[in-house]
Each structure stands twice: as C-alpha cells, then as structure tokens.
Amino acid sequence: MSLAVVFARASLGVTAPLVTVEAHLANGLPAFNIVGLPETTVKEARDRVRSALLNSGFEFPAKRITVNLAPADLPKEGGRFDLPIAIAILAASGQIPDPALEHTEFLGELALTGELRAIRGALPAVLSARDNRRRLIVPAANGPEAGLITPSSALLAPHLLAITAWLHGQGDLTGPPAATQREQATELDIGDVIGQESGKRALEIAAAGGHNLLLLGPPGTGKSMLASRLPTLLPPMTEEEALEAAAIRSISGQGLEPDNWRQRAFRQPHHSASAVALVGGGSHPKPGEISLAHHGVLFLDEMTEFERRVLDALREPLETGSVSISRAAHRVTFPARFQLIGAMNPSPCGHYQEGLSRSSSEQILRYLGRISGPFLDRFDLSVEIPLLQPGELSRPRTRGETSAQVRQRVLAARERQLARAGKVNARLSGSDLDRLCPLQAEDAAFLEQALHRMKLSIRAWHKLIRVARTLADLADEPQIQRRHLIEALGYRAMDRLLSQLRE
C-alpha cells in the first residue's frame, strides 16, 4: 500500500483539534516533503523520523514521500507529530498492518534512537480522543498526566518498537496509572496570623462569596501572609474544575504534579511582569498568569508598582472569566475565572496616618493614581491592615481559629449560594440580585444615601449587595438585614481614604 492515513491531535488553546496525517509514497527521486502549514519544528521531523526508523531496524523507503497534515489552515507546531508521521510512513510502505489505525490516534516526539519523549498539552488530547471513542498512544513520560482522566483511553509507549509490536499483536501497551486524589497538607494556616481580625474576617467573606479583595496597609503588617492563607479557606475543586485547571498547566509546559492536581492554584507574579506574562500571548499563544490561576487565586503584591496598562488589561477577564488572543491565522480563548487579591501601601512612604506619613495629600493621590479607578472598582472588598497595637506581640496569646474551622463556615455558605443561584455571590448578575437579593424599602434608601455620600458608582451598589448577601449566608439568614449592609459598607477602605484625601 502506498497511501496511509493516521490520526493525531494539534494543540490550539485548551482544545486539541483532530489532525489527519496522510503519507503517500510515489516513484521518483527520493524526497521527503511535509505540507499542511507546518512550523519549523514540524519540518524538522523529517530528519528525526528518518533516523528513528533506521535506528529501530526499519527500512526507510527510497521513494518520493509526501506527508500531508490536514486541515491545512490549522497551525501545527512542536514535535508532537513525529510519531504519527513515522507510523504513517511505516503503514504506507507495508512494514506494519493498518487495520488498527482507524480507531487509534498517535502523539509523541521521537528521539533519534526511536524512544518517545514527552509532549506539551497531552491532557486535552486525551480528553478529545476519549470523546471521539478512539485510543490515544502517548509517550510513557506523559503517563501521570493522562492518568488524571478516568476512565482513560490512553495507552503508554516508551519506544517506537513497542508500538509496532503492539500493532503486530506481539505485545501489550499499558494504560496510565490512576492519579491520586488526596489533598496535600500545607503548613499555612490562618491561625498563625497575629491580630488583624478585620483582615481575617474579610478573607473569610472573600472565600465564601468568591469576592475580589484589596488589602491596604503599611509594609510588614501581614498583607502577604493573609493573602497566602486564602487557598486554605476555599472549598476543594470539583473534578471538572480540576481538569480545566490541569489542562491549562498541560499546555503551558509547566508540568503537573499528580499528588496535588486538585489543589487550587496560588499565583503571585512579580510586579515587573508584562501584560503578555499576565494575560497570555506570544506568536504561538500560551496562557498567562490569569489563566494559570483559573479556579484559584491571583495575588498582586505591591500593586502600585505594576504598570497601569498591565493592570487595566485584567479588567475584561475579571468580568468575562476568559481571555481571547487573536492572531492573523487563528484566535485562541483561554479560561481565566480567578479570584483576585491585591495588596498595596497607602502612600509612597508606606503610611498615611498623621505623625507617621512623610507624604502630602497631593503626593498620596498621585501615588494612588497609578491604579485606574475602573480597575479599583473591580474589587468587592477593600480593607485596611493596620500596624499592630503596642504590646500585642509580647502578650501571651491563644491560637486563633484555624483554617479548617473557618473553612467549615465557608463551605456551608457556598452550599447555600449554590442551592439558591447555582453560582457564588460574586458572579450574580444585576437581574439575579433583583430576583434573589431583594432589599426592604428603608434598607434600599439607606444604602442609596450611603452611596451618594461616599460618591460610589452603580457598580459599587451591586457589589455591596453581593457582599451583604455573602454576610447573610455566613450567618445562615434568608434575607439581607441592615447590619449586613453596614458591615459591607465597612469594607470600602480605599473609598474612604480617597474621600479623606480629596477633602
């Protein structure tokens, strides 16, 4: 047979579209051509495949070989097509049987010895192959990643010879080992934080309702310590959420740790990070920090040190939960449903209280102006983390509530939210708020007066009601009460600071 068809999978965002690898052998001067919009790394497969076949004891056909990767308008990059190209050539030259090829897909980079090397983005490919009821043969090094899916249709192979023996019915390929689902113990606990009860309370509210939180305070007061404890309060991810997050890590090339693949991510990019590093991009678009924090936490420390345009690039993903990156040939969408925690100093010198601050009101306003108002408006809560009172460090203290204890209240509150609306309070739309979070007439008038006094936007109205609804859920109360609105208004530290400076 001079023509063979083999199936493979490309990598496009978090999807793995089907690629048909067609190999045709014709008479004429020996040549080896690959067509179908291959990138440079794919064109180099000609030399890798030739050496792998010869070193594995196969005959490399001395004919005019044409390999087509269809569809032609889909970009192909990486060494993932080495194995399907080699299998297609072997089938076209009659060196292996082809009946099993119709129900099997192949992915893998070939070493010159014929060994298979791991590829990036194996997890989306395994999911797509399973949905199409085909087996997918991947390198053995991708086994831990493929084992995250149960049941898995993947088969593992260490070498090209193992695959050809399996196709001849002379050997077996094993499936990936099932991944463990135990939670990894963490040394972080909210009970280790000394004082800062208002910050702990705000962290509990943020965890319960999925709210974005801004921590405002002088250096060394525990803002970063509080932020790092947020993942310990969040509920465990569902299997669907964990697979979505794992797929993003798979295509990013950062690898997966099977022991803690169900833990929520905590990403803390440096303030020198570019917009591409945060949002994603590149000639071959890769996910940025906001996508790597999908279903987890993105912590921006020293927020005023980030470039303003970099922060503003996060505004749309915060609203939509995804980011789209367009290129001339294609468009890629990465999920980015993350919880944002920001931390910043209130002034250039770190303090703004009288007697401590060395900055004027104009200098502080100019400093805070590095962050745009629309971006600050994306935070549901902003809370001050002040210096500890004298004597608080030296006095004997009992350990406060642990993360496990607070987490129980968070889980109970989330169950109420999911039972009521099917989503956390932070994602409630305006119509959801009208339908599910009605206010009494006198409470609505009270809240509107407070908004006018604080010069807040209509978006702030909705955010205050969402936070008040979370407070009611934590208290297991069916309706929002006046005290919930008052406490929600108390978590507007940035608005109070800006109002005080402008007076």
Side-chain angles (χ1 to χ4, degrees), residues 382-397:
S382 62
V383 61
E384 182 184 357
I385 309 298
L387 293 169
L388 294 178
Q389 295 298 320
E392 191 162 357
L393 287 173
S394 58
R395 78 165 60 101
R397 69 182 186 94

Side-chain angles (χ1 to χ4, degrees), residues 126-195:
V126 175
L127 282 169
S128 298
R130 185 190 68 175
D131 294 342
N132 285 272
R133 298 182 180 179
R134 288 197 186 100
R135 295 167 296 197
L136 175 65
I137 297 179
V138 295
N142 288 116
E145 191 173 327
L148 301 181
I149 302 170
T150 52
S152 177
S153 61
L155 296 175
L156 306 181
H159 197 283
L160 177 62
L161 288 174
I163 299 174
T164 56
W166 176 75
L167 291 172
H168 279 99
Q170 299 175 357
D172 293 326
L173 298 178
T174 60
T180 57
Q181 298 185 5
R182 66 178 183 273
E183 291 191 29
Q184 187 176 1
T186 177
E187 297 179 357
L188 303 178
D189 196 285
I190 198 171
D192 299 330
V193 181
I194 300 175

Side-chain angles (χ1 to χ4, degrees), residues 43 99 109 152 211 234 272 287 312 337 346 355 367 375:
K43 293 179 181 179
E109 179 181 341
S152 177
H211 302 290
L234 296 173
S272 62
D312 285 342
R337 181 69 68 183
Y367 174 77
F375 179 73

Side-chain angles (χ1 to χ4, degrees), residues 217-435:
T221 55
K223 300 186 295 295
S224 300
M225 179 180 287
L226 282 168
S228 64
R229 268 66 179 173
L230 179 58
T232 67
L233 308 182
L234 296 173
M237 286 193 289
T238 64
E239 184 173 356
E240 181 181 357
E241 291 174 339
L243 283 176
E244 288 178 4
I248 296 172
R249 289 190 61 84
S250 175
I251 63 175
S252 71
Q254 296 192 7
L256 288 171
E257 298 180 12
D259 288 343
N260 62 357
W261 71 285
R262 299 196 69 162
Q263 282 191 326
R264 294 187 184 272
F266 181 81
R267 307 292 301 187
Q268 185 177 350
H270 191 261
H271 61 76
S272 62
S274 65
V276 171
L278 256 66
V279 177
S283 56
H284 299 292
K286 292 185 179 180
E289 291 289 337
I290 63 173
S291 294
L292 292 170
H294 186 53
H295 294 310
V297 178
L298 178 70
F299 177 45
L300 301 182
D301 199 6
E302 303 295 346
M303 207 164 63
T304 51
E305 301 302 321
F306 283 83
E307 291 187 28
R308 181 166 177 163
R309 64 178 184 85
V310 172
L311 295 179
D312 285 342
L314 304 182
R315 285 158 50 184
E316 184 179 353
L318 281 169
E319 296 292 335
T320 62
S322 63
V323 57
S324 295
I325 302 171
S326 297
R327 293 293 178 263
H330 55 281
R331 177 186 179 96
V332 176
T333 299
F334 295 114
R337 181 69 68 183
F338 60 96
Q339 192 167 351
L340 178 63
I341 306 296
M344 58 183 289
N345 298 327
S347 71
C349 67
H351 302 271
Y352 66 93
Q353 294 97 333
E354 186 176 352
L356 294 175
S357 177
R358 302 186 304 272
S359 305
S360 65
S361 297
E362 292 76 12
Q363 289 174 320
I364 296 176
L365 282 172
R366 190 160 52 248
Y367 174 77
L368 297 178
R370 296 179 183 179
I371 304 175
S372 68
F375 179 73
L376 286 175
D377 223 13
R378 263 60 179 185
F379 288 96
D380 301 348
L381 308 109
S382 62
V383 61
E384 182 184 357
I385 309 298
L387 293 169
L388 294 178
Q389 295 298 320
E392 191 162 357
L393 287 173
S394 58
R395 78 165 60 101
R397 69 182 186 94
T398 57
R399 183 180 174 86
E401 281 190 306
T402 64
S403 290
Q405 291 172 315
V406 178
R407 193 182 195 186
Q408 291 303 314
R409 294 197 297 270
V410 169
L411 290 172
R414 287 232 176 177
E415 288 177 0
R416 298 180 189 108
Q417 296 168 44
L418 296 177
R420 179 176 57 247
K423 51 189 171 184
V424 294
N425 290 333
R427 300 183 196 170
L428 293 176
S429 63
S431 59
D432 291 333
L433 293 176
D434 294 337
R435 179 170 51 90

